[in-house]
C-alpha cells in the first residue's frame, strides 16, 4: 500500500505535477504512512531522479524548478505532520546568496533538497550582507550554513562571512558549505569553508555523511 | 655556556620554591663557579611559573572593557562592561565609540583594579577604538592597560579577550619573578641583561616581558625544541620527549618550532598566544603495564615503577621477592582496567581526605594503613580483614589520595638489563609474576610488552603527522590496516606497506632512548638521542634569538584585481594605498621601522630583518585562471642579545 503511495509521490515530482503531488501526500496522511518516510521514499526519490536527469543534460533548469514546485506542494502537507519529537534533533540550516549577487536558482534548489532532507531551513534570500548572515548564525544557533554565488567579484563575501564567524566565535559550531560555478574545492579550503558542493544533491549527501 | 664555541661550562638545577621564588633561583645559581659568574654576558630566563598561576586562576584584579560585542567569559575578569563601538571587516566604523560610558566605568573601578584589558570587535581591522579607550584608561587609572590588538592580529574576539585578561592578570606575577631573579643576580655581582623566552622560542627584553607576560608562559616546549636542535644540530626534525607520564611530540621546521596555528590553549581556554604546537600522548616511562585476563595492556595511568619503589622502600623489595611463591591461576577478564587486582601492585597513601565522608569506611581504614608503608591490596585486605575488592582504588587515585606502584616501561628495560639505574631485581620479579599470569616466559612477556609500547609510540607519532596533513585522524578500516602493516612490518597476503618519515627524530629523556630508536627503525629514519631534557630547555633559552614580528594583511578593494586600491590592516593601524606596489613597499617600510625599534629596545644587536610574503590566490571554477584574494606580509627582525662586558 505505502509502496504505491511512494511511487505516486515520486512520479508527481518527476512529471512536475503539483496537484498530483498534493493529492498523493494527502493519501499518505490518510493511510497513516509515516510522513518522514513519505518524504524520503517518495518526494526525495523523485527529486533525485530530476537531479540525475539534469546532471546528465536530459532536462533543462526550468524543468527542475517546476519539479521542485511539485515537490513543495507535497511537502507543505507532509512537513507539518511530522511528530514534534522527530524534529527535536533536526539540524538548523541557513541558505543564502551572498551580497552583490542575485542569482538564486541554485540556492533555491539547495534549500529544497535540504528541506526534503529533514533540515529546518532558514532561507535568507539573495544579496545578503556578511554581517546579516553572521548575525543569523549567532542569534539562531544555525548548525549548517550554505552560501552561493554565481559571479567572481562576489566570492570575496564568502570569505568575509567566514571571517566574521571566526571573529564572533561561531565558526566552530557551524558547518559551512559553499557552491556556485566560480567556486572550487581549493577555494573552499582557502577561505576556510568545510565543503564545496557540486550541486544540491552533493550538498545534502555530503552533509548527511558528516 | 660559551656562546661562541657552544660549550657548556657549568650547569645546575634546583626545585621551584613557590613561597619565595628567590630561594629556588639562588639555589640554582649557588652551585656555579663564582669566577665564571663574573664573566656572564647575558642571562636568559625560561619560566613556566606564570602558566601555573593562570591554571590556578591567580593574578591581580582586572577590569575589562569590551567594545561593540559581548564576551563569552571563558576567563573571568573582576569587573567588566560592554560599550558601544566597533568596526566592520574593512575597518570602517559601524558604531561610534561611546567614550562617556567607557569613562564612567573606568572611574567606577578606580582604586579597585591592578590592570585593565581593552578589546574591541574587529579591532584587528581597526585598532582606533581600543587605542582611544586605552588613552582614557591611562588618564583615569595609574595601572597597566593592554589592548587586544597589541597581543594578536588574528580573528576571534573571544580568544583575543581571554588572552588580554590573562595578560593583565599576569603583569604582577611576572614583575615579581623578574624582580626576584634580578635581586639574586645582583647579589652574585651579575649585571648582564636579562632576557625572557617567549612561547615561539625567541626571546624578549624584560621591559617588553612586563608589558606582555602572557607571551612568556608557554616558553617551555619551544625552548626544549630549540635546545634539542642545538644539541643535535638538526634544524628539521621531529622531537619526541618521553617523560614519566607522557610523550610530547613537537616538530622543528627550518630551525623554528612548529607553532599552534589557532593559538595556544592555556588552562583549557583557547587563546591567541603563539606557542610551539606540542602533541601530548599518555605514554611515558612510568605508564602502568597490567595483565587483564591473559592480555597485556598498556594504560595511561602513571604509577611508581617497581625498580624505583623497591630502592626507596625495603618492604616493597621484600614483597616483590616473595612474588615467585604466589600461586597464579587463570583469572577472567575484568570489565575495568582499574579493578584488576595484581599482586605486583602496591599502594601508598599520599594524603588523607579533607572530608572523611568523601570515602567509604573500608577505604578510610585502608588509607590509614597505607600511611605507614606501601602494601598490596591482598596484604592490606588480610590485615584489615576486608575483602580487597571492597576498596575503591579508582576513586582514591582520582582524588589523588593514593599512589600506585607497578610494572612500567622503565621496569621492562631494567628487567632485560638494557637500562639499569634502580633496583632491577624488583623489576625482574614483577615480570616473572606477570608472565605467569599471561602464561608465557618472562622473555616473551618483555618482548610482547615492548612491542605494545613501540606500536603505541608509532601510532601516536603518525596520528600527529597525519592529523596535520589531512586535517583529521579518521582512519577507515583500510587506512588502519595499512598503518598497522607499516608499523608492524608485517606483510599482508599480497601486499606490504611502508611509511617513511622524511626527517630525523630527536629523542629526549634517558630511558626513552631505547624506545624512540625503535620508532626510527620502524619509519626508516635517523634517531638522535639527548639525555637531559631540563638542561636542553636551558640551552634552548640561551641560544635562541631576540625576535619580533608584525603582520600586515593586504586586501584589494575589488576582489581579484591587482591594479586597484589596496587596504592594509595591522596593529599599527590601517592604511589605503593606490596600488599593490605601494601597499607592499610602504607596509614593509613601516614594519621594518617598528620591529627594529622593538628588538633594539629589547637589547638586541646584529639585527637582520626578513620579510615573508604569503599570497592567497584562488582558482576560479574549473578554469586555470586564479585571482588574488589577499596577501599576508610578515616582517620579522631578529638579533642576538647584546652582551654585558665589564669594560662597558
Amino acid at each position: 500500500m505505502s509502496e504505491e503511495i511512494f511511487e505516486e509521490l515520486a512520479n508527481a515530482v518527476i512529471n512536475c505535477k503539483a496537484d498530483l503531488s498534493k493529492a498523493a501526500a494527502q493519501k499518505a496522511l490518510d493511510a497513516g504512512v509515516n510522513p518522514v518516510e513519505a518524504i524520503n521514499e517518495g518526494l526525495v526519490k523523485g527529486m533525485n531522479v530530476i537531479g540525475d536527469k539534469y546532471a546528465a543534460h536530459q532536462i533543462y533548469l526550468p524543468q527542475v524548478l517546476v519539479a521542485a514546485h511539485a515537490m513543495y506542494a507535497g511537502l507543505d502537507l507532509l512537513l507539518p505532520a511530522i511528530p514534534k519529537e522527530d524534529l527535536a534533533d533536526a539540524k538548523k540550516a541557513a541558505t543564502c546568496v551572498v551580497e552583490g549577487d542575485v542569482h538564486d536558482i541554485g540556492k533555491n534548489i539547495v534549500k529544497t533538497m535540504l528541506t526534503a532532507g529533514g533540515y529546518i531551513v532558514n532561507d535568507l534570500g539573495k544579496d545578503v550582507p556578511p554581517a546579516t548572515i553572521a548575525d543569523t548564525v549567532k542569534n539562531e544557533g544555525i548548525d549548517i550554513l550554505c552560501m552561493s554565488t554565481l559571479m567572481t567579484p562576489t566570492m570575496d563575501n564568502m570569505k568575509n562571512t567566514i571571517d566574521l564567524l571566526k571573529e564572533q566565535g561561531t565558526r566552530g559550531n557551524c558547518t559551512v558549505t559553499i557552491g556556485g560555478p566560480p567556486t572550487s574545492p581549493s577555494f573552499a579550503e582557502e577561505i576556510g569553508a568545510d565543503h564545496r558542493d557540486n550541486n544540491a544533491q552533493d550538498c545534502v549527501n555530503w552533509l548527511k555523511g558528516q | 655556556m660559551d656562546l661562541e664555541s657552544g660549550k657548556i661550562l657549568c650547569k645546575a638545577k634546583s626545585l621551584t620554591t613557590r613561597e619565595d621564588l628567590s630561594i629556588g633561583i639562588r639555589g640554582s645559581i649557588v652551585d656555579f663557579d663564582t669566577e665564571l659568574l663574573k664573566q656572564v654576558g647575558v642571562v636568559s630566563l625560561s619560566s613556566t611559573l606564570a602558566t601555573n598561576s593562570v591554571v590556578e586562576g591567580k593574578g591581580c584584579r582586572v577590569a575589562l572593557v569590551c567594545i561593540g560585542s559581548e564576551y563569552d567569559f571563558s576567563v573571568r575578569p573582576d569587573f567588566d562592561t560592554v560599550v558601544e563601538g566597533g568596526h566592520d571587516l574593512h575597518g570602517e566604523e559601524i558604531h561610534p565609540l561611546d567614550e562617556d560610558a567607557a569613562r564612567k566605568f573606568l572611574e567606577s573601578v578606580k582604586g579597585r583594579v591592578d590592570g585593565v584589558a581593552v578589546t574591541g570587535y574587529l579591532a584587528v581591522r581597526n585598532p582606533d577604538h581600543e587605542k582611544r579607550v586605552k588613552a582614557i584608561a591611562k588618564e583615569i587609572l595609574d595601572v597597566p592597560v593592554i589592548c587586544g590588538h597589541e597581543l594578536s592580529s588574528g580573528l576571534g574576539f573571544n580568544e583575543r579577550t581571554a588572552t588580554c585578561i590573562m595578560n593583565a592578570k599576569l603583569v604582577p606575577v611576572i614583575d615579581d619573578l623578574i624582580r626576584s631573579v634580578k635581586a639574586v643576580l645582583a647579589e652574585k655581582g651579575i649585571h648582564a641583561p636579562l632576557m625572557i623566552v617567549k612561547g615561539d622560542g625567541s626571546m624578549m627584553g624584560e621591559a617588553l616581558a612586563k608589558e606582555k607576560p602572557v607571551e612568556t608562559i608557554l616558553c617551555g616546549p619551544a625552548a626544549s625544541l630549540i635546545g634539542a636542535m642545538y644539541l643535535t644540530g638538526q634544524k628539521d626534525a621531529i622531537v619526541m620527549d618521553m617523560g614519566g607520564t607522557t610523550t610530547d611530540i613537537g616538530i622543528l621546521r627550518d630551525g623554528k618550532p612548529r607553532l599552534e596555528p589557532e593559538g595556544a590553549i592555556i588552562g583549557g581556554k583557547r587563546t591567541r598566544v603563539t606557542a610551539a604546537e606540542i602533541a601530548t600522548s599518555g605514554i611515558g616511562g612510568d605508564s602502568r603495564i597490567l595483565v587483564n585476563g591473559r592480555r597485556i595492556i598498556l594504560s595511561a595511568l602513571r604509577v611508581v615503577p617497581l625498580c624505583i619503589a623497591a630502592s626507596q622502600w625495603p618492604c616493597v623489595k621484600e614483597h616483590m621477592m616473595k612474588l615467585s611463591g604466589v600461586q597464579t591461576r587463570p583469572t577472567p577478564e575484568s570489565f575495568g582496567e582499574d579493578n584488576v587486582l595484581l599482586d605486583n601492585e602496591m599502594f601508598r597513601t599520599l594524603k588523607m581526605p579533607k572530608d572523611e565522608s568523601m570515602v567509604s569506611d573500608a577505604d578510610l581504614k585502608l588509607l590509614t594503613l597505607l600511611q605507614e608503608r606501601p602494601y598490596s591490596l591482598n596484604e592490606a585486605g588480610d590485615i584489615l580483614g576486608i575483602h580487597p575488592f571492597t576498596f575503591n582504588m579508582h576513586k582514591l587515585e582520582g582524588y589523588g589520595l593514593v599512589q600506585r606502584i607497578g610494572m612500567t616501561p622503565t621496569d621492562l628495560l631494567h628487567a632485560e638489563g638494557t637500562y639499569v639505574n634502580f633496583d632491577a631485581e624488583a623489576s625482574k620479579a614483577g615480570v616473572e609474576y606477570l608472565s605467569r599470569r599471561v602464561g608465557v616466559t618472562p622473555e616473551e612477556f618483555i618482548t610482547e610488552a615492548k612491542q605494545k609500547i613501540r606500536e603505541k609510540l608509532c601510532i601516536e607519532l603518525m596520528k600527529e603527522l597525519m592529523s596535520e596533513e589531512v586535517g583529521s585522524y579518521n582512519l577507515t578500516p583500510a587506512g588502519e590496516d595499512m598503518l598497522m602493516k607499516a608499523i608492524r612490518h608485517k606483510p599482508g597476503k599480497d601486499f606490504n606497506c611502508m611509511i617513511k618519515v622524511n626527517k630525523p627524530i630527536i629523542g629526549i629523556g634517558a630511558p626513552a632512548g631505547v624506545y624512540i630508536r625503535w620508532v626510527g627503525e620502524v619509519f626508516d629514519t635517523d634517531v638522535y638521542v639527548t639525555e637531559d631534557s631540563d638542561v636542553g630547555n636551558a640551552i634552548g633559552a640561551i641560544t635562541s634569538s631576540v625576535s619580533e614580528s608584525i603582520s600586515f594583511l593586504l586586501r584589494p578593494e575589488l576582489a581579484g584585481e591587482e591594479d586597484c586600491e589596496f587596504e592594509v590592516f595591522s596593529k599599527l593601524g590601517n592604511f589605503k594605498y593606490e596600488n599593490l606596489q605601494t601597499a607592499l613597499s610602504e607596509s614593509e617600510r613601516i614594519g621594518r621601522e617598528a620591529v627594529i625599534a622593538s628588538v633594539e629596545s629589547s637589547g638586541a644587536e646584529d639585527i637582520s630583518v626578513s620579510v615573508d610574503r604569503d599570497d592567497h590566490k584562488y582558482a576560479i571554477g574549473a578554469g586555470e585562471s586564479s585571482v588574488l584574494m589577499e596577501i599576508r606580509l610578515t616582517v620579522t627582525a631578529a638579533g642576538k642579545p647584546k652582551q654585558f662586558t665589564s669594560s662597558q
Side-chain angles (χ1 to χ4, degrees):
Chain A
M1 174 63 194
S2 49
E3 301 301 318
E4 257 170 54
I5 300 177
F6 294 156
E7 209 176 318
E8 271 178 50
L9 284 164
N11 283 333
V13 175
I14 295 167
N15 299 322
C16 306
K17 302 286 186 207
D19 48 347
L20 291 184
S21 166
K22 205 170 164 181
Q26 190 56 53
K27 206 165 155 187
L29 291 179
D30 295 343
V33 175
N34 179 339
V36 177
E37 259 181 54
I39 293 173
N40 286 332
E41 300 298 316
L43 296 174
V44 173
K45 277 223 173 121
M47 204 59 212
N48 281 339
V49 172
I50 291 291
D52 290 342
K53 283 188 170 181
Y54 178 64
H57 304 294
Q58 288 170 354
I59 56 171
Y60 291 101
L61 191 58
Q63 286 162 289
V64 178
L65 294 178
V66 187
H69 177 70
M71 183 184 81
Y72 266 108
L75 271 183
D76 285 344
L77 283 176
L78 291 172
L79 281 181
I82 298 174
K84 280 275 181 291
E85 58 269 24
D86 285 5
L87 283 174
D89 53 353
K91 290 198 169 162
K92 287 187 193 171
T95 53
C96 62
V97 172
V98 294
E99 187 175 26
D101 195 352
V102 293
H103 302 88
D104 63 351
I105 294 172
K107 183 267 296 169
N108 288 340
I109 299 174
V110 169
K111 171 189 157 193
T112 310
M113 297 303 288
L114 283 173
T115 313
Y119 296 91
I120 301 168
V121 184
N122 181 353
D123 181 22
L124 302 179
K126 53 198 176 188
D127 192 16
V128 192
T132 311
I133 305 172
D135 287 347
T136 310
V137 169
K138 188 176 185 181
N139 298 334
E140 297 188 15
I142 297 291
D143 304 301
I144 294 152
L145 171 63
C146 305
M147 294 188 279
S148 161
T149 190
L150 178 74
M151 305 191 300
T152 320
T154 43
M155 289 165 78
D156 201 32
N157 279 327
M158 291 184 167
K159 175 164 170 51
N160 286 336
T161 307
I162 293 175
D163 281 351
L164 281 180
L165 296 182
K166 283 185 190 158
E167 175 72 1
Q168 282 184 342
T170 44
R171 176 66 186 89
N173 314 328
C174 177
T175 304
V176 180
T177 82
I178 60 166
T183 63
S184 62
S186 71
F187 174 69
E189 197 184 331
E190 175 72 35
I191 65 170
D194 295 302
H195 188 244
R196 189 260 175 176
D197 310 320
N198 285 325
N199 52 46
Q201 268 161 297
D202 179 40
C203 172
V204 179
N205 288 342
W206 182 79
L207 286 171
K208 291 276 182 195
Q210 285 301 291
Chain B
M1 183 156 144
D2 183 348
L3 286 177
E4 261 166 41
S5 68
K7 217 176 114 199
I8 298 160
L9 302 174
C10 192
K11 61 182 182 183
K13 242 192 212 192
S14 142
L15 293 173
T16 313
T17 44
R18 308 194 62 186
E19 56 294 349
D20 180 358
L21 296 171
S22 56
I23 301 173
I25 297 162
R26 202 175 290 123
S28 65
I29 296 184
V30 89
D31 293 336
F32 283 139
D33 182 341
T34 36
E35 273 313 299
L36 281 174
L37 283 181
K38 282 185 191 145
Q39 300 168 31
V40 167
V42 60
V43 177
S44 175
L45 178 67
S46 147
S47 172
T48 51
L49 171 90
T51 320
N52 298 332
S53 25
V54 169
V55 174
E56 289 157 19
K58 287 182 193 154
C60 63
R61 295 164 301 165
V62 172
L64 168 70
V65 182
C66 292
I67 307 163
S69 177
E70 299 268 348
Y71 162 58
D72 70 356
F73 288 98
S74 61
V75 179
R76 293 208 158 264
D78 299 270
F79 304 95
D80 64 276
T81 188
V82 180
V83 301
E84 281 271 299
H87 296 84
D88 67 10
L89 277 171
H90 299 280
E92 304 287 341
E93 193 176 71
I94 322 174
H95 300 289
L97 175 66
D98 187 348
E99 289 197 10
D100 290 340
R103 192 177 290 276
K104 217 164 136 194
F105 169 75
L106 289 164
E107 292 277 5
S108 78
V109 298
K110 198 169 178 177
R112 293 153 72 197
V113 294
D114 311 301
V116 177
V118 182
T119 56
Y121 186 66
L122 282 170
V124 286
R125 293 296 166 89
N126 190 340
D128 179 53
H129 288 178
E130 283 189 358
K131 282 181 176 165
R132 274 158 63 193
V133 173
K134 181 173 180 168
I136 298 170
K138 281 272 170 206
E139 193 183 296
I140 299 170
L141 304 163
D142 186 26
V143 297
V145 183
I146 188 83
C147 294
H149 77 271
E150 296 169 333
L151 292 170
S152 166
S153 54
L155 289 167
F157 175 75
N158 288 324
E159 291 84 354
R160 283 200 311 275
T161 307
T163 313
C164 223
I165 297 170
M166 282 185 188
N167 192 80
K169 279 185 179 286
L170 282 171
V171 172
V173 180
I174 208 87
D175 207 51
D176 216 32
L177 175 68
I178 291 177
R179 203 168 312 158
S180 305
V181 172
K182 292 195 84 168
V184 176
L185 291 177
E187 272 172 34
K188 299 284 167 193
I190 302 171
H191 301 285
L194 180 63
M195 291 290 165
I196 291 106
V197 183
K198 292 194 281 188
D200 64 358
S202 66
M203 40 188 175
M204 59 181 168
E206 54 174 293
L208 204 54
K210 283 182 188 173
E211 205 179 301
K212 301 177 176 179
V214 77
E215 294 190 348
T216 71
I217 68 179
L218 288 176
C219 59
S224 296
L225 287 175
I226 301 233
M229 170 173 76
Y230 190 86
L231 289 170
T232 58
Q234 298 298 317
K235 284 186 148 190
D236 283 277
I238 291 160
V239 181
M240 294 180 85
D241 182 346
M242 191 172 178
T245 327
T246 58
T247 297
D248 294 341
I249 303 173
I251 299 178
L252 281 164
R253 289 187 185 131
D254 194 23
K256 288 185 187 127
R258 175 185 61 161
L259 300 178
E260 196 81 57
E262 289 282 301
I265 293 173
I266 303 170
K269 312 289 190 295
R270 173 74 71 184
T271 69
R272 285 288 180 259
V273 176
T274 42
E277 187 179 2
I278 302 288
T280 300
S281 66
I283 159 100
D286 300 349
S287 295
R288 178 187 182 215
I289 298 171
L290 69 147
V291 173
N292 190 1
R294 302 183 85 92
R295 283 189 306 135
I296 303 174
I297 291 169
L298 189 61
S299 98
L301 184 74
R302 180 178 195 165
V303 299
V304 181
L306 294 171
C307 53
I308 296 178
S311 52
Q312 211 169 339
W313 294 285
C315 63
V316 174
K317 167 105 183 186
E318 209 178 296
H319 172 80
M320 296 308 294
M321 291 301 112
K322 280 191 288 191
L323 274 184
S324 56
V326 176
Q327 285 286 321
T328 52
R329 51 178 186 277
T331 14
E333 278 199 25
S334 225
F335 186 64
E337 289 171 9
D338 300 296
N339 299 328
V340 180
L341 193 64
L342 294 168
D343 271 311
N344 73 309
E345 296 196 336
M346 301 176 80
F347 292 85
R348 73 180 187 107
T349 301
L350 291 173
K351 60 177 183 214
M352 295 300 285
K354 279 199 195 106
D355 175 3
E356 295 191 349
S357 64
M358 278 163 69
V359 299
S360 70
D361 287 348
D363 288 345
L364 196 61
K365 283 186 190 148
L366 179 71
L367 286 170
T368 317
L369 177 72
L370 295 177
Q371 266 183 317
E372 303 162 21
R373 49 158 276 201
Y375 281 102
S376 76
L377 286 189
N378 276 330
E379 285 176 319
D382 283 347
I383 296 172
L384 297 171
I386 300 170
H387 192 278
F389 279 134
T390 319
F391 306 126
N392 301 295
M393 300 322 291
H394 180 52
K395 188 171 152 193
L396 296 181
E397 283 183 305
Y399 284 149
L401 301 176
V402 298
Q403 190 174 36
R404 196 187 290 249
I405 296 164
M407 175 58 58
T408 65
T410 308
D411 286 308
L412 293 179
L413 299 182
H414 275 77
E416 64 169 10
T418 21
Y419 168 81
V420 180
N421 212 8
F422 303 98
D423 193 329
E425 293 303 313
S427 302
K428 277 184 195 158
V431 167
E432 195 273 332
Y433 166 76
L434 288 174
S435 63
R436 270 193 285 137
R437 290 205 44 150
V438 182
V440 295
T441 66
E443 291 71 33
E444 285 167 336
F445 178 86
I446 292 177
T447 311
E448 198 181 323
K450 273 171 49 174
Q451 178 66 18
K452 286 219 183 312
I453 299 165
R454 160 148 88 176
E455 277 175 19
K456 172 92 176 155
L457 284 169
C458 291
I459 291 172
E460 292 294 335
L461 174 63
M462 284 320 294
K463 195 179 190 173
E464 186 47 28
L465 300 184
M466 286 161 95
S467 312
E468 193 186 352
E469 197 85 16
V470 186
S472 72
Y473 181 75
N474 189 2
L475 291 183
T476 57
E480 191 165 351
D481 176 69
M482 286 201 262
L483 180 64
M484 289 320 290
K485 276 198 171 72
I487 289 176
R488 292 188 174 137
H489 283 199
K490 267 194 191 148
K493 278 196 233 20
D494 303 309
F495 76 105
N496 194 5
C497 279
M498 273 186 291
I499 294 177
K500 179 162 171 52
V501 170
N502 54 16
K503 43 181 69 169
I505 300 174
I506 302 176
I508 303 180
V514 180
Y515 292 110
I516 307 287
R517 276 189 206 284
W518 289 344
V519 178
E521 277 168 32
V522 168
F523 296 125
D524 187 21
T525 187
D526 296 332
V527 173
Y528 299 83
V529 173
T530 67
E531 292 275 299
D532 198 336
S533 60
D534 292 350
V535 179
N537 185 309
I539 290 170
I542 197 72
T543 52
S544 79
S545 48
V546 182
S547 143
E548 182 70 29
S549 298
I550 182 165
S551 64
F552 295 87
L553 177 66
L554 285 69
R555 284 174 67 92
E557 193 87 308
L558 290 164
E561 298 282 327
E562 287 190 31
D563 192 23
C564 66
E565 270 199 4
F566 267 72
E567 41 190 7
V568 175
F569 308 100
S570 77
K571 68 175 174 187
L572 302 170
N574 41 346
F575 313 97
K576 273 199 174 134
Y577 300 104
E578 62 267 32
N579 59 42
L580 175 61
Q581 226 36 56
T582 337
L584 281 171
S585 58
E586 277 302 293
S587 302
E588 191 180 325
R589 187 184 61 78
I590 303 169
R592 265 176 196 275
E593 274 174 26
V595 289
I596 291 177
S598 166
V599 292
E600 271 179 352
S601 74
S602 278
E605 57 184 9
D606 295 337
I607 298 164
S608 61
V609 179
S610 62
V611 181
D612 180 36
R613 176 180 160 175
D614 187 9
D615 286 18
H616 291 251
K617 290 188 169 183
Y618 54 79
I620 303 172
E624 277 166 20
S625 63
S626 69
V627 293
L628 182 69
M629 187 156 47
E630 61 187 33
I631 298 174
R632 280 196 177 274
L633 196 72
T634 312
V635 185
T636 307
K640 285 290 162 194
K642 204 179 283 174
Q643 294 196 34
F644 171 83
T645 51
S646 34
S647 59
Q648 261 178 339

